[in-house]
Amino acid sequence: MSLFAGWSPEAARLPDRLDDLHGPWQGTVVLPVHLTWHELREFDVASQRPRLLLYTIVISKGRRNDVARFLNAQRLREDWPQLRLMISSKMRRACERKLGLRLS
């Protein structure tokens, strides 16, 4: 078995554990410009639709520290059935393998 068999660029952008995600449960998140354009930077994480969009952006474009900072582990777990359909298949597999996300 290769030393890099479980490694992917997608997995490298994720924290090591789901418990490493410390994003807010509620309130407004303002994303930095390296993640999104100026018009679409503020998201109310207490509302599901804006939160799903925020999480999609962060998972798709974010660095490891962005994922840990902006995503909440419990919200991600709860939203995973919808969210997994909104991201690339490679990133979905990486999240499921590395963070242990599964359909409930």
Side-chain angles (χ1 to χ4, degrees), residues 40-60:
L40 187 62
R41 292 185 54 209
E42 293 187 20
F43 302 87
D44 177 5
V45 295
S47 299
Q48 188 181 37
R49 290 180 89 166
R51 185 175 63 247
L52 287 173
L53 180 56
L54 166 75
Y55 281 29
T56 300
I57 292 168
V58 174
I59 289 171
S60 299

Side-chain angles (χ1 to χ4, degrees), residues 33-46:
V33 289
H34 74 268
L35 290 176
T36 189
W37 24 281
H38 298 285
E39 317 275 307
L40 187 62
R41 292 185 54 209
E42 293 187 20
F43 302 87
D44 177 5
V45 295

